[in-house]
Amino acid sequence: METLTHTQVRDYYGTTLQSAGDLKTSACCPSESVPEHHRPILSLLPDEVLAKFYGCGSPIPAALDGATVLDLGCGTGRDAFVAAALAGPAGRVIGVDMTPEQVEVAKRHREAVADALGHPAPTTEFRLGLIEDLGALGVEDESVDVVISNCVLNLAPDKEPVFREIWRVLKPGGELYASDVFADRRLPEAIRRDPVLVGECLGGALYTEDFRRLMARLGWADVRTVAESPITVEDPALRDALGAARFVSRTARAFKLPGLVEDACEDYGQMATYRGGVEGQRHAFVLDDHHTFEAGRPALVCGNTAAMLQETRFAPFFDVTGDRSTHFGLFDCAPAPVGGGAATESCC
Ligand SMILES: C[S@@+](CC[C@H](N)C(=O)[O-])C[C@H]1O[C@@H](n2cnc3c(N)ncnc32)[C@H](O)[C@@H]1O
């Protein structure tokens, strides 16, 4: 299972990089703004953890209270600690990373962070190993509510075993919520083998359409984009090596809903109304980049969206009416109308 890429990536994150200031590109720098309610939590975290943060987004979804969260490639633990704060004392966060220098920092700070969060005991644990083989690290089938990952999946030389493991460990209705780097094309061998470009999270970036195909094959037929922004490469030599390829940092979410999510949005006449109450999204709940549900305002939704709201941890926050007994054809993807009506048309 261990490959040359694993060794090179481990060297990059264990030895070459000492802090985010050593990065050569903006690929492993956060492109999304930090949600407002995460800021007070971040202010409690040790400087060392924050200085060695190499994430490219903000992959910590809402409604984590009491959840079991698995952070793949947790590094020094920044996201795992934020997730632990949001999951509360009844939650549990497992961080997995293959680089000893990274995991050591996270382990060293877990007691102090638990104290700072006011938890009676640490709810985080950090395990050294490969995200391709979570079974070897004792992560059981259907034991996890939410898998998060920040700028890591691109680093896996073979993505399929990682996504298979994620599907295996997620409970039905569980969620993968990850920020990662994607390319607008399949990258040539020279880029994929360059240790610096790989280490900087560019060389191993998946072509967006191949990611969609892989996910669909493994059961995730409808992966939603939450946020996306372009990555700029300022270093002239690296820019030249990358040629015309363009990269984005994207936060995506996908739910394990076997048999409930189709490869296109279908219209069953279902309506969803957000009841409110999700921390940080009290007035409007953002499912993805084209679904924002205002509290109290009914919206027409496709069958896939209905399942994502009804068969997951979001169910207590939504009233979903209708079922799949009558099919009205493909879901109309027209943009939501402006202004108030009894029902808002959503898009899929
Ligand atoms: C770009 S850093 C991101 C770290 C962390 N998520 C953060 O936001 O700071 C990538 C991390 O993924 C880890 N990693 C890469 N490939 C891995 C693999 N196959 N198995 C386990 N960890 C891996 C590296 O050791 C490194 O700590």
Side-chain angles (χ1 to χ4, degrees), residues 35-52:
E36 203 53 43
H37 67 294
H38 293 184
R39 289 179 200 276
I41 303 169
L42 289 171
S43 72
L44 299 173
L45 301 187
D47 290 344
E48 186 182 16
V49 168
L50 298 176
K52 289 175 181 280

Side-chain angles (χ1 to χ4, degrees), residues 69-123:
V69 179
L70 174 65
D71 183 0
L72 298 184
C74 60
T76 54
R78 188 191 96 145
D79 290 339
F81 291 135
V82 173
L86 297 171
R92 181 177 179 216
V93 181
I94 305 164
V96 169
D97 201 289
M98 67 173 182
T99 302
E101 292 87 343
Q102 296 272 80
V103 174
E104 184 275 320
V105 174
K107 282 185 172 171
R108 183 153 41 78
H109 290 291
R110 64 188 274 278
E111 298 268 354
V113 171
D115 280 350
L117 298 177
H119 291 173
T123 58

Side-chain angles (χ1 to χ4, degrees), residues 181-224:
V181 177
F182 293 87
D184 70 347
R185 64 197 66 199
R186 295 181 184 134
L187 299 171
E189 181 89 359
I191 296 180
R192 286 190 281 118
R193 293 217 176 279
D194 184 305
V196 173
L197 291 176
V198 170
E200 291 281 323
C201 296
L202 296 168
L206 265 181
Y207 166 45
T208 294
E209 289 304 308
D210 285 344
F211 170 64
R212 184 184 57 72
R213 290 183 182 108
L214 172 63
M215 293 296 276
R217 191 152 46 78
L218 298 180
W220 285 286
D222 187 355
V223 180
R224 301 289 175 92

